[in-house]
């Protein structure tokens, strides 16, 4: 009796193993076959990094871990939650870039305004229109190859002006802000002769007159408010050109610099990456008190697991800006596609700020940089006061 029962158990278990093996093998094969067909179909017309990013987003981390776990048991062990794989749904999303759970994706490939459906409006600015959603385009090869790399790895310490008598707040020589530019050659149409002649915003790239000037202005105003700041001078774009590396690796390159300066200066706690948008003037300019300003918006990378903390910092700055200059900030936008992280995992006080667009003037950007710096300073000193109150008093 026991022998028969034992044989029955073994046979039943063996059948289960065979069934599981067949199901898992077929599932894995289907996924890889579909991926192969997809890449083969795109080989003739080239597969952009944006398309690859969307396909990656389509497969959640749980699905990827489960798929790899079929061959490597470790990945199955590290899964925290059970996730059922719907092969047909996954295949549909990989081939069409359409997520049935997100209606925006149905229109994303057909209507230009919806092509940015990986962008979420976390906080909307005043009267934000769909056509004014942030848009960052990669420059054409001719815009990148016209200049040799000119940047260095050093930090530009902003010249501290003599403090006014009424100024009492100061970081006492400590550099607590690091301001840099991942896309450091982003310039403006008016500043690049070829871009101006052809009225082509994609050619608005320059190794000298670019968004690094806005970063310097921002740091100077922060210094006036008693906040020690440093500006990165590394020419990330030039580095990529020299290596023949794609522009899409810009954030990986700038992350190296951010980690390097963090190792050099442990006082650094705030990191601001300054960009300019690719939208035209009507979508990036606002008139306030008789003067024109380059509008700003904040970008939060939602692939950073602690992105809510970065959003909280951005929200505080946004609120101060909007209180003093209503309409200057277009809001806070969350990004899941593309890089999706934007070096913001290094600190809860790391943000990406787009200042104006390709048609704004440097003077307009400077006005906005001053307002932004004043808002950031207010948020910073409020946080310092709060921290001082929570720290225990020394006896």
């Amino acid at each position: 009796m026991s022998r028969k029962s034992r044989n029955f158990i073994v046979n039943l278990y063996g059948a289960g193993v065979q069934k599981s093996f067949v199901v898992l093998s077929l599932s894995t094969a289907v996924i890889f076959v579909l991926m192969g067909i997809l890449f083969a179909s795109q080989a003739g017309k080239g597969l952009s990094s944006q398309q690859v990013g969307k396909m990656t987003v389509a497969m959640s981390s749980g699905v990827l871990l489960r798929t790899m776990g079929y061959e490597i048991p470790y990945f199955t062990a590290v899964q925290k939650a059970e996730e059922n794989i719907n092969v047909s749904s996954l295949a549909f999303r990989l081939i069409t870039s359409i997520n049935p759970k997100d209606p925006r994706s149905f229109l994303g490939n057909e209507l230009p305004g919806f092509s940015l459906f990986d962008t979420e409006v976390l906080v909307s600015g005043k009267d934000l229109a769909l056509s004014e959603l942030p848009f960052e385009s990669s420059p054409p090869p001719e815009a990148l190859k016209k200049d040799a790399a000119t940047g260095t790895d050093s930090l530009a310490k902003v010249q501290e002006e003599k403090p006014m008598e009424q100024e009492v707040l100061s970081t006492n020589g400590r550099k607590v802000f690091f301001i840099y530019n991942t896309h450091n050659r982003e310039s403006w149409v008016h500043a690049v002769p070829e871009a101006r002649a052809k009225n082509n915003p994609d050619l608005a790239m320059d190794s000298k007159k670019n968004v690094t000037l806005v970063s310097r202005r921002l740091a100077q105003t922060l210094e006036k408010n008693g906040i020690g700041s440093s500006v990165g001078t590394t020419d990330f774009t030039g580095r990529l050109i020299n290596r023949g590396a794609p522009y899409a690796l810009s954030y990986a390159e700038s992350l190296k610099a951010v980690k390097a300066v963090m190792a050099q200066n442990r006082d650094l706690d705030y990191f601001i990456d300054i960009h300019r948008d690719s939208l035209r003037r009507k979508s990036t300019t606002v008139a306030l008190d008789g003067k024109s300003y380059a509008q700003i918006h904040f970008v939060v990378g939602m692939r950073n697991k602690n992105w809510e903390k970065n959003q909280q910092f951005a929200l505080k700055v946004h609120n101060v800006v909007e209180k003093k200059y209503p309409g200057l900030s277009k809001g806070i936008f969350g990004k899941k596609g593309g890089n999706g992280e934007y070096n913001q995992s290094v600190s809860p006080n790391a943000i990406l700020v787009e200042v104006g667009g390709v048609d704004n003037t440097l003077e307009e950007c400077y006005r906005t940089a001053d307002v932004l710096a004043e808002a950031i300073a207010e948020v910073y000193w409020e946080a310092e006061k709060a921290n001082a109150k929570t720290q225990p008093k020394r006896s």
Side-chain angles (χ1 to χ4, degrees):
M1 181 69 179
S2 59
R3 181 178 179 183
K4 181 178 179 181
S5 176
R6 184 167 58 251
N7 289 339
F8 174 76
I9 294 174
V10 170
N11 290 336
L12 180 61
Y13 181 74
V17 170
Q18 293 175 1
K19 182 179 179 181
S20 298
F21 178 78
V22 171
V23 171
L24 296 180
S25 297
L26 288 175
S27 300
T28 305
V30 168
I31 291 175
F32 281 98
V33 167
L34 288 173
M35 290 294 290
I37 294 174
L38 180 61
F39 277 90
S41 64
Q42 297 291 337
K45 52 185 177 181
L47 193 64
S48 67
S49 58
Q50 186 179 20
Q51 288 172 305
V52 174
K54 288 180 180 179
M55 288 188 295
T56 304
V57 173
M59 298 182 68
S60 67
S61 58
V63 173
L64 290 172
L65 285 174
R66 179 75 66 82
T67 303
M68 291 186 290
Y70 296 154
E71 298 296 331
I72 308 175
Y74 171 78
F75 289 106
T76 302
V78 299
Q79 279 187 275
K80 296 181 179 180
E82 187 72 17
E83 182 175 348
N84 294 324
I85 301 176
N86 188 325
V87 177
S88 59
S89 176
L90 176 60
F92 182 74
R93 292 176 66 182
L94 288 174
I95 294 174
T96 64
S97 293
I98 293 176
N99 180 1
K101 296 181 180 180
D102 188 351
R104 295 171 298 176
S105 63
F106 283 92
L107 302 174
N109 296 324
E110 301 301 329
L111 300 181
F114 281 87
S115 62
L116 305 175
F117 62 86
D118 63 341
T119 300
E120 292 192 16
V121 181
L122 301 178
V123 177
S124 176
K126 182 180 179 182
D127 301 325
L128 177 68
L130 178 63
S131 61
E132 296 178 347
L133 288 177
F135 176 65
E136 187 175 84
S137 62
S138 297
E142 57 267 29
L144 295 175
K145 294 180 180 179
K146 62 181 179 180
D147 294 314
T150 57
T152 65
D153 292 329
S154 62
L155 300 181
K157 292 186 177 180
V158 178
Q159 183 66 35
E160 298 182 22
E161 297 187 6
K162 186 177 181 179
M164 296 180 291
E165 292 183 2
Q166 66 269 26
E167 186 180 53
V168 294
L169 297 176
S170 174
T171 57
N172 299 315
R174 294 183 302 112
K175 301 295 180 181
V176 296
F177 271 78
F178 179 62
I179 305 168
Y180 66 105
N181 307 91
T182 294
H183 294 157
N184 62 288
R185 294 194 181 188
E186 287 182 330
S187 185
W188 306 273
V189 171
H190 69 83
V192 181
E194 185 179 3
R196 184 171 63 249
K198 297 181 179 180
N199 192 28
N200 185 348
D202 292 335
L203 298 177
M205 301 286 288
D206 192 79
S207 62
K208 296 180 180 179
K209 195 171 185 179
N210 51 48
V211 289
T212 61
L213 299 175
V214 181
S215 293
R216 290 179 181 275
R217 180 64 172 246
L218 179 67
Q220 288 171 356
T221 309
L222 285 173
E223 291 280 358
K224 291 179 181 179
N225 284 272
I227 301 175
S229 305
S230 295
V231 180
T233 60
T234 305
D235 182 7
F236 301 115
T237 303
R239 279 187 170 188
L240 295 174
I241 293 173
N242 287 345
R243 296 206 325 252
Y247 193 68
L249 294 180
S250 297
Y251 288 100
E253 200 68 32
S254 64
L255 181 59
K256 297 176 185 177
V258 171
K259 289 184 176 180
V261 298
M262 291 178 70
Q264 295 171 13
N265 181 7
R266 297 189 180 278
D267 289 329
L268 290 175
D269 191 35
Y270 291 77
F271 303 85
I272 304 178
D273 190 2
I274 298 294
H275 294 246
R276 65 105 175 98
D277 204 356
S278 296
L279 293 175
R280 303 309 297 259
R281 183 174 181 81
K282 67 177 182 179
S283 299
T284 63
T285 312
V286 63
L288 300 169
D289 298 329
K291 296 181 180 180
S292 58
Y293 290 78
Q295 288 180 294
I296 63 173
H297 66 262
F298 305 87
V299 176
V300 175
M302 299 179 71
R303 284 190 178 178
N304 167 24
K305 63 180 181 180
N306 297 315
W307 66 268
E308 292 94 343
K309 295 181 179 179
N310 301 87
Q311 182 193 356
Q312 290 172 9
F313 174 53
L315 180 60
K316 291 177 182 178
V317 179
H318 163 82
N319 287 339
V320 174
V321 170
E322 282 298 281
K323 181 179 179 181
K324 296 182 177 181
Y325 292 83
L328 183 59
S329 175
K330 297 170 69 174
I332 305 172
F333 302 90
K335 287 277 192 176
K336 294 181 180 179
N339 177 273
E341 203 268 355
Y342 305 107
N343 304 345
Q344 292 170 7
S345 60
V346 300
S347 169
N349 300 315
I351 54 175
L352 187 156
V353 187
E354 299 267 3
V355 179
V358 291
D359 294 318
N360 285 109
T361 66
L362 187 57
E363 184 180 12
E364 291 168 341
C365 292
Y366 278 169
R367 290 194 191 110
T368 298
D370 290 341
V371 174
L372 179 61
E374 295 286 346
I376 291 174
E378 183 174 323
V379 171
Y380 174 81
W381 289 120
E382 284 296 324
E384 289 296 293
K385 291 178 183 178
N387 291 335
K389 291 181 180 179
T390 58
Q391 290 179 354
K393 296 182 179 180
R394 294 182 180 180
S395 57

